Amino acid sequence: MNIFQAVFYSFSTPIFYKLMLMSATPLIFAALGGVFSEVTGVTNIALEGIMKIGAFTAVVFTFYTGNPWLGLLGAIIAGVMLAWLHAYVSIRWSADQIVSATALILIASGLSAFLMEPIFGHSGQTDFVAKIPKVKLAFMKDVPFFGQIFDEMSIFVYLAFIAVALSWFLIYKTPLGLRMRAVGENPKSADTLGVNVFKIRYFGVLMSGVLAAFAGAYLSIGELGQFQENMPSGKGFIALAAMILGNWNPVGAMWAALLFGASDALNIQLQSILDIPPEMKALLNLLPFVITIIVVSGFVGKTRPPAADGVPYEKE
Amino acid sequence: MNILVPVTSVIIALFIAGIVILLIGKNPLSAYWVMLQGAFGSKAALAANISKMMSLVLTGLAVGFGFRAGIFNIGAEGQLMMGAIFSTIVGLNLGGVSPVFAIPITMLAGILGGAFWASIAGYLKATTGAHEVITTIMLNWIAVYLTNYFVAGPLAVGQGVPKSPEIAQSAQLPPLMTVQATTLPSGIIVSIVAAILVYILLEKTTTGYELKAVGFNPYAAEAGAISLSKNIVLTMAISGALAGLAGSMEVMAIHHRIFGDFSGGKGFDGISIALIGQNNPIGIIFAAFLISSLRTGSNAMQFAKVPDDIVTIIQGIIIFLVAADRIVRTFILKFSSPKGGESK
């Protein structure tokens, strides 16, 4: 089978769409996190770090309690704590947000690797723990094609799309969302109108912590059942690209995440279909990253970040 | 005050990391003592320390140079690997060439490899506005997979760990001296010279002035007839050239080949080093020495059952405090003046 046939064959299989949804799910959560933070004017490139600490904490909490739902709770707590650090220094102390986030990525990967040995007795990866059970839709079973996509799917996949709808509603249809956008576009006039700029920004950044923690927890206790040291492997940054491509809008970010999910799925599919030497197969791994670069540079001219994104606000 | 902030940050970071060590039931003081021994305790330790420092100076310079011109180059990791690949491919084919030519050609190949890789991100930023943080991170991953491909495919040799053959003898940099099993690479001289050259470029030339002007205020610079896009591409190329040189030094002076997982995070360490050294080439030399000492020392700490990832935590906390330098300044003022200080 040549490469074109393989690509078209991939598109015709239900497994491709299942893989696409699975790959897109962490990207959707993390990209929504980015949207929440940046809509209020705080850049948060630490999504990768929050995902990592979320994925790790989820496993640790599940390991000790035996309950993956408590694992998810642990991930959220850890994610919020890390996001709070970012919020505190960038909102209260006008720190450079890129530098602060870089620091948090390091701290997250240092902490998760450091604590692995004392907790699990070995490094590199944790033990296997209970996973959050998959949803089985009985009525889907006999539906052709779609049945194979949806017959057994992680609840995170559905939650991701619910989160998109809720985020869109919150940001565009509620007074809180209006305030968030006002603070992100023009903090000074929002302040003049009596909006508490700092509080709104804290909300945005902490929400990014919650959502990126969901993304991380999906990777560990949603799919694999363990944490590995290299876990988010760039997904936090691809999520940022999805946020930009989606024009800082939850629905746009979702479509972008689905596109990146599709390139990931294509990579996995091609590796199993194509009859080529193993090192050439490994080369296909760079497909999602190449597509991200092409997409970010091809479309980014048309999108626009919130005007005050990344700019610390200081009261006179 | 300028040097006080990073120094205080380092002390606070060591203190906080000490608490983390305490939390896993180890004694932080003895852990730090082992670390100190591991970094400075013997001639071999010091030699290992300095050979680690060699590339860190260069990746620190790469990131710091970008910062000065307002570019956040997170891609030193990938640029280092591309430099290493280019150097290896060229160095493999210089068997009959005299070292007088083979060494500079191999070095140049690495410089060009890194510059080329970084220029992709620079070009995309200048023409389409694609943010360099995202493009350089993606380019890092692509470099990782390309390296894996080269050492498992076209360059593969031998069994076990995927690796390339050794480069020609004539393209290898001779060691300054050999201490037990550890060699003190002459590449360290290349690194120091590079730092001095970057210092001269930034402080004494018109190009350096323009680059700094763009970094300081891009709009004012553009109003002053400085081409933004030209400077973005140029900054990226120079920044990548430095990271590429780091890769080429690793190949020419230490490993003599490329293998999987080649960089070991030296490109990312460059970010910490640039920030701790406050983007000043001379400060970067000292910051690189600090990080190489922490890294070399932490290898020894593993024997004391303290995972060496503690260094990553320390680095993270230092950078966090450097980002939040106002907190640190307030902290210093509180301690240095009896009345207590102001935050600004």
Side-chain angles (χ1 to χ4, degrees):
Chain A
M1 203 184 294
N2 73 31
I3 183 138
F4 293 106
Q5 288 168 321
V7 169
F8 282 110
Y9 172 75
S10 297
F11 288 157
S12 69
T13 57
I15 186 76
F16 171 82
Y17 297 94
K18 193 178 186 101
L19 285 171
M20 176 181 86
L21 289 171
M22 284 164 63
S23 298
T25 294
L27 298 178
I28 291 175
F29 277 120
L32 286 178
V35 169
F36 265 92
S37 182
E38 301 212 355
V39 155
T40 66
V42 183
T43 311
N44 188 0
I45 65 156
L47 297 173
E48 177 94 0
I50 300 173
M51 281 171 81
K52 198 170 223 182
I53 209 75
F56 177 70
T57 320
V59 170
V60 173
F61 269 59
T62 312
F63 180 71
Y64 282 121
T65 63
N67 183 338
W69 293 102
L70 291 176
L72 177 61
L73 184 68
I76 294 171
I77 294 170
V80 167
M81 279 166 67
L82 209 63
W84 178 83
L85 282 173
H86 185 57
Y88 178 69
V89 297
S90 35
I91 298 169
R92 166 73 179 78
W93 294 93
S94 312
D96 185 316
Q97 294 164 14
I98 303 266
V99 178
S100 150
T102 308
L104 292 176
I105 295 171
L106 275 176
I107 292 174
S109 75
L111 263 182
S112 52
F114 180 84
L115 293 175
M116 208 162 340
E117 180 109 24
I119 296 177
F120 297 95
H122 47 86
S123 56
Q125 54 202 33
T126 67
D127 295 350
F128 280 97
V129 295
K131 291 194 278 188
I132 288 188
K134 306 226 159 156
V135 185
K136 283 181 194 164
L137 299 175
F139 65 89
M140 266 294 184
K141 220 172 174 164
D142 302 320
V143 183
F145 203 80
F146 290 99
Q148 278 166 286
I149 302 177
F150 290 103
D151 70 339
E152 199 179 71
M153 192 78 104
S154 169
I155 190 161
F156 283 93
V157 178
Y158 300 101
L159 287 177
F161 290 97
I162 294 170
V164 171
L166 290 179
S167 306
W168 176 83
F169 185 79
L170 178 73
I171 293 173
Y172 289 102
K173 298 289 162 196
T174 66
L176 175 61
L178 182 64
R179 292 200 182 106
M180 287 169 69
R181 285 179 289 136
V183 163
E185 286 294 338
N186 194 338
K188 196 163 181 180
S189 51
D191 194 2
T192 319
L193 293 171
V195 177
N196 188 330
V197 175
F198 289 173
K199 245 188 196 161
I200 297 282
R201 287 194 164 176
Y202 267 105
F203 173 73
V205 180
L206 294 185
M207 278 302 289
S208 79
V210 173
L211 287 157
F214 263 89
Y218 168 71
L219 294 177
S220 64
I221 57 170
E223 280 303 329
L224 200 60
Q226 71 166 176
F227 172 79
Q228 297 172 342
E229 218 174 283
N230 58 355
M231 205 150 213
S233 60
K235 290 196 173 64
F237 290 96
I238 296 183
L240 282 175
M243 169 196 75
I244 295 172
L245 182 59
N247 206 3
W248 287 264
N249 177 313
V251 179
M254 174 196 75
W255 288 115
L258 284 170
L259 174 71
F260 292 137
S263 68
D264 222 12
L266 190 61
N267 167 31
I268 299 169
Q269 283 275 75
L270 288 182
Q271 290 204 37
S272 68
I273 300 170
L274 283 177
D275 184 26
I276 49 177
E279 71 268 11
M280 290 294 285
K281 282 188 180 172
L283 204 55
L284 286 171
N285 284 328
L286 49 82
L287 198 64
F289 301 102
V290 173
I291 290 180
T292 307
I293 292 191
I294 292 172
V295 162
V296 169
S297 19
F299 292 81
V300 91
K302 293 181 204 150
T303 64
R304 189 186 72 85
D309 194 10
V311 185
Y313 178 67
E314 301 189 37
K315 279 191 155 183
E316 276 115 39
Chain B
M1 200 63 174
N2 270 341
I3 192 159
L4 264 180
V5 172
V7 170
T8 314
S9 303
V10 170
I11 295 169
I12 299 175
L14 287 172
F15 180 76
I16 298 174
I19 297 174
V20 176
I21 296 174
L22 207 59
L23 281 177
I24 63 160
K26 302 282 185 246
N27 182 344
L29 288 179
S30 59
Y32 283 146
W33 178 245
V34 173
M35 192 187 226
L36 214 59
Q37 292 274 310
F40 307 105
S42 64
K43 277 184 191 164
L46 205 57
N49 192 344
I50 289 172
S51 57
K52 197 153 268 171
M53 178 186 167
M54 175 189 75
S55 303
L56 294 181
V57 172
L58 291 167
T59 55
L61 285 172
V63 181
F65 185 81
F67 274 133
R68 288 295 276 273
I71 303 259
F72 204 84
N73 178 12
I74 302 200
E77 183 84 358
Q79 291 142 22
L80 183 153
M81 281 188 271
M82 293 313 282
I85 292 178
F86 274 55
S87 271
T88 305
I89 292 175
V90 170
L92 280 171
N93 294 302
L94 293 174
V97 184
S98 144
V100 183
F101 297 108
I103 288 176
I105 291 173
T106 312
M107 218 183 271
L108 194 66
I111 291 173
L112 290 177
F116 158 68
W117 207 239
S119 300
I120 299 176
Y123 174 77
L124 292 176
K125 185 183 173 71
T127 53
T128 70
H131 201 294
E132 74 273 18
V133 167
I134 291 172
T135 49
T136 53
I137 287 278
M138 295 304 128
L139 287 166
N140 281 345
W141 284 99
I142 296 172
V144 168
Y145 290 118
L146 277 181
T147 312
N148 290 343
Y149 165 70
F150 274 109
V151 296
L155 293 179
V157 71
Q159 300 292 312
V161 187
K163 56 179 183 287
S164 77
E166 280 210 355
I167 58 169
Q169 189 80 37
S170 56
Q172 299 179 6
L173 270 179
L176 277 182
M177 59 166 106
T178 306
V179 187
Q180 285 145 29
T182 317
T183 57
L184 195 60
S186 45
I188 186 71
I189 298 172
V190 176
S191 304
I192 306 288
V193 170
I196 295 167
L197 288 179
V198 170
Y199 177 81
I200 294 171
L201 172 65
L202 278 173
E203 304 301 334
K204 310 282 176 202
T205 66
T206 322
T207 312
Y209 173 79
E210 285 195 5
L211 290 173
K212 281 189 293 180
V214 172
F216 192 69
N217 186 340
Y219 303 107
E222 196 162 38
I226 297 175
S227 160
L228 275 188
S229 50
K230 188 196 112 197
N231 273 295
I232 289 169
V233 179
L234 183 65
T235 304
M236 264 300 188
I238 297 176
S239 175
L242 288 160
L245 182 59
S248 127
M249 284 299 107
E250 288 286 320
V251 169
M252 295 171 68
I254 298 182
H255 303 294
H256 303 147
R257 57 157 53 107
I258 187 162
F259 45 88
D261 195 22
F262 181 77
S263 166
K266 292 195 180 70
F268 293 118
D269 283 347
I271 302 169
S272 317
I273 290 161
L275 291 166
I276 297 168
Q278 308 199 316
N279 308 327
N280 174 320
I282 311 304
I284 283 169
I285 296 178
F286 288 101
F289 186 58
L290 171 78
I291 297 296
S292 69
S293 305
L294 286 172
R295 290 245 170 242
T296 323
S298 69
N299 290 340
M301 261 188 359
Q302 290 202 300
F303 296 110
K305 290 263 156 62
V306 178
D308 64 352
D309 304 291
I310 193 70
V311 179
T312 314
I313 302 176
I314 295 174
Q315 253 171 276
I317 300 173
I318 298 174
I319 300 184
F320 188 70
L321 293 172
V322 169
D325 62 338
R326 285 193 186 174
I327 298 181
V328 181
R329 280 168 205 273
T330 312
F331 180 82
I332 296 171
L333 281 172
K334 274 211 175 107
F335 275 80
S336 58
S337 73
K339 281 175 277 176
E342 289 290 310
S343 65
K344 281 181 194 171

